[in-house]
């Protein structure tokens, strides 16, 4: 069985979209792939309850309990390794990961970012797009590298920015697209991996 570990910090709707797709498409039986665990750096992340509803193991490791990014990342890596993942998925995980952590998972660590990278790296992407007068916005699935939001782009989806959009209305429109492209990107990762091993 090939394991996926998903890291979250909040509501976990992208995690749930992946778990729901895995369930609906019978990934464990058909692909030999399963979501083995969901790990949050926030004890109150709503996504933890969602994961439990899917019968997925959950874990919490608060970054506040560590003196440095490096020590947090080392402890996080140990928790992830307990599930021996072939793929680590960041889904609303809101911590910048250290180069050592990223190096360990190079090529099998992905993220979804709510902008059309390379535009609007970092935070508050929706408001920044509105403030700039963008007519389109969107979301990007990318490989995670040490440089924030700069890894190889794997998938993107575009949405219109409407005249009276707020950050919340734009975020909701983007989220709908994220729930479609992220599960597809995860499935494609394993399909490509299978082809490369053939
Ligand atoms: N080394 C990398 N780490 C992470 C990446 C990446 O590409 N390389 N992607 C991010 C996800 N992300 C945007 O998609 C992102 C997450 C968090 C932050 C950030 O500034 N975090 C602050 C804390 C913010 C908070 O706790 O609310 C921080 O870590 O100090 C920017 C972009 C995941 N990690
Ligand atoms: N920089 C990272 C970032 O902002 N990620 C964004 O957080 C949301 C998570 O929602 P979810 O917790 O419901 O999946 C998603 O829109 C994702 O693109």
């Amino acid at each position: 069985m090939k394991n996926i570990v998903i890291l979250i910090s909040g509501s976990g709707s992208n995690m749930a979209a992946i778990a729901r797709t895995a369930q609906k498409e019978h990934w464990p039986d058909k692909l030999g792939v399963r979501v083995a665990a969901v790990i949050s750096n926030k004890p109150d992340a709503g996504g933890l309850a969602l994961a439990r509803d899917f019968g997925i193991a959950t874990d919490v490791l608060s970054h506040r309990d560590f003196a440095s990014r490096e020590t947090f990342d080392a402890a996080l890596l140990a928790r992830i390794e307990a599930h021996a993942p072939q793929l680590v998925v960041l889904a609303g995980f809101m911590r910048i990961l250290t180069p050592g952590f990223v190096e360990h998972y190079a090529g099998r660590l992905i993220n979804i970012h709510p902008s059309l990278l390379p535009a609007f790296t970092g935070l508050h992407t929706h408001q920044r797009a509105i403030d700039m007068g963008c007519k389109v916005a969107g979301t990007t699935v990318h490989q995670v590298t040490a440089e924030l939001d700069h890894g190889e782009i794997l998938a993107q989806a575009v949405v219109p920015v409407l005249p009276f959009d707020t950050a919340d209305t734009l975020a909701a429109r983007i989220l709908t697209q994220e729930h479609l492209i992220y599960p597809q990107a995860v499935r494609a990762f394993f399909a490509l991996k299978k082809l490369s091993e053939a």
Side-chain angles (χ1 to χ4, degrees), residues 72-143:
F72 169 68
D73 280 12
L76 178 62
L77 193 150
R79 295 288 182 91
I80 293 169
E81 284 304 295
H83 302 281
Q86 279 71 36
L87 176 65
V88 179
V89 174
L90 307 183
F93 183 70
M94 298 305 286
R95 298 300 295 176
I96 297 173
L97 294 160
T98 55
F101 181 100
V102 172
E103 180 57 35
H104 184 92
Y105 289 112
R108 55 192 178 110
L109 176 61
I110 63 175
N111 178 54
I112 193 157
H113 177 79
S115 82
L116 293 173
L117 291 176
F120 304 121
T121 58
L123 297 176
H124 312 300
T125 60
H126 310 103
Q127 192 57 55
R128 291 157 63 196
I130 292 168
D131 293 346
M132 288 293 288
C134 292
K135 306 313 173 197
V136 293
T139 184
T140 303
V141 179
H142 64 95
Q143 292 278 2

